[in-house]
Amino acid sequence: KLNYECGSKKIDNVKGDVIDTCVGYFKNYCDKIDPTNLEVRKKVSEAISNHPGSYSVNQLLDIYDWVKSNIFYQNVPLDKAAPYKPSETIYTGSGDCKNQAVLFASMVKAVGGTARVIAVPECTHAYAEVYFGDITLERILEIVAEHYPEQDIMLNIMDYDGEKWLIFDGAGGSYPGDTIP
């Protein structure tokens, strides 16, 4: 599995060079993701109260629902302001797509998941992605469909060299796996 932690390095298999994976758009976000912040941990505990225990897909859905219900979306173009720390987004109760994505990623990491923020400069939008490891795509779809029975579910799953990442877009989606066109 690739390491997407802030400041992580990987080896270029062709040239043998060490590459800093915290570059470009990711550098703007990786230092803001903070799963150890006490406010983040308090809110994630609230969010997953219906599904306590070990890390699960249901906890991810609960976190997504909590962010959508408790953080008012406030549009700010992607390139006009740096993202807040997650505690600032919690404090203000509002944030744009990048602030919601940073908060969501922080909360996911706080419960043991692997999450990152993806920015799409072409459409000035950002969202979070969560790595799913060994769980099958069919099982993810089944769990999401059970949680959102009123939705016609179509998941946006990104495949990076065999790694499956599910989009969690609180600002542009109606359910996990959904995003703006």
Side-chain angles (χ1 to χ4, degrees):
K1 185 168 94 53
L2 297 176
N3 183 354
Y4 292 98
E5 295 298 319
C6 188
S8 66
K9 309 276 190 228
K10 70 176 188 175
I11 304 295
D12 180 322
N13 291 331
V14 176
K15 296 180 182 178
D17 296 334
V18 175
I19 302 167
D20 185 352
T21 61
C22 190
V23 295
Y25 78 86
F26 195 66
K27 189 167 270 192
N28 295 328
Y29 299 93
C30 67
D31 66 335
K32 298 292 192 283
I33 298 171
D34 187 3
T36 62
N37 178 274
L38 290 179
E39 280 301 307
V40 170
R41 297 188 64 75
K42 178 181 172 187
K43 297 305 180 186
V44 80
S45 292
E46 287 176 22
I48 67 167
S49 63
N50 290 331
H51 297 100
S54 299
Y55 174 69
S56 69
V57 175
N58 282 314
Q59 289 178 346
L60 297 174
L61 304 180
D62 292 341
I63 293 167
Y64 177 84
D65 292 343
W66 188 93
V67 171
K68 284 193 68 77
S69 296
N70 292 282
I71 305 300
F72 176 75
Y73 175 72
Q74 187 176 19
N75 186 26
V76 176
L78 193 63
D79 59 349
K80 299 298 182 203
Y84 301 153
K85 292 180 180 180
S87 58
E88 293 174 25
T89 302
I90 291 168
Y91 176 77
T92 61
S94 68
D96 62 6
C97 58
K98 62 186 172 286
N99 297 320
Q100 288 186 359
V102 166
L103 175 58
F104 178 82
S106 296
M107 292 173 82
V108 168
K109 286 178 160 243
V111 296
T114 300
R116 62 184 179 194
V117 175
I118 300 294
V120 186
E122 298 81 33
C123 67
T124 64
H125 187 54
Y127 53 85
E129 286 183 337
V130 174
Y131 175 70
F132 272 91
D134 295 335
I135 190 168
T136 66
L137 301 180
E138 293 78 19
R139 182 66 182 134
I140 296 168
L141 178 58
E142 181 181 301
I143 295 168
V144 172
E146 287 172 8
H147 193 87
Y148 301 93
E150 71 284 354
Q151 297 284 341
D152 184 21
I153 305 295
M154 185 179 87
L155 300 180
N156 288 292
I157 296 176
M158 307 306 289
D159 187 326
Y160 303 98
D161 296 325
E163 291 187 343
K164 303 291 190 256
W165 294 77
L166 180 63
I167 293 174
F168 283 79
D169 185 355
S174 299
Y175 53 86
D178 186 28
T179 189
I180 60 174

